[in-house]
Amino acid sequence: MKTLVCFGDSITSKEKSKDGSLRLTSRLRQELTEWVVMNAGIPAETTRAALVRLQDDVLRHHPDFVTILFGANDSSDHRLIPKRV
């Protein structure tokens, strides 16, 4: 079987919405029945923090494909992450 790792923040990590509807990884599992779909999302994570866990949470699985969804927490005003030009 091929492996897909969904790597991201809370947008990725949540399997269901509050109304019970399926989110990213749950929907992918339904559609990609011949694939192993892994959820490597962590709520409130920034891209800087994600880089630290890239090897353990993604690359060690030798995925055939990876989705990456970060940025919402990086751009939050409360994070005070410096903007670089």
Side-chain angles (χ1 to χ4, degrees):
M1 283 190 143
K2 291 187 177 186
T3 300
L4 164 63
V5 177
C6 298
F7 188 47
D9 54 25
S10 61
I11 297 169
T12 300
S13 73
K14 294 178 183 173
E15 295 279 339
K16 289 185 179 182
S17 296
K18 289 181 182 180
D19 66 3
S21 60
L22 299 180
R23 304 268 311 245
L24 178 66
T25 52
S26 300
R27 292 174 76 182
L28 287 170
R29 283 187 197 107
Q30 277 189 336
E31 296 297 321
L32 303 174
T33 57
E34 300 295 318
W35 287 66
V36 173
V37 179
M38 303 178 71
N39 187 332
I42 294 185
E45 188 155 73
T46 62
T47 52
R48 184 172 294 148
L51 288 172
V52 173
R53 67 184 185 89
L54 180 64
Q55 178 62 46
D56 288 341
D57 289 359
V58 179
L59 299 178
R60 77 177 176 97
H61 299 291
H62 304 284
D64 297 284
F65 195 80
V66 179
T67 64
I68 301 173
L69 181 56
F70 288 100
N73 295 306
D74 295 279
S75 63
S76 282
D77 288 337
H78 76 281
R79 293 277 183 177
L80 300 177
I81 295 174
K83 294 176 176 66
R84 297 192 180 170
V85 179

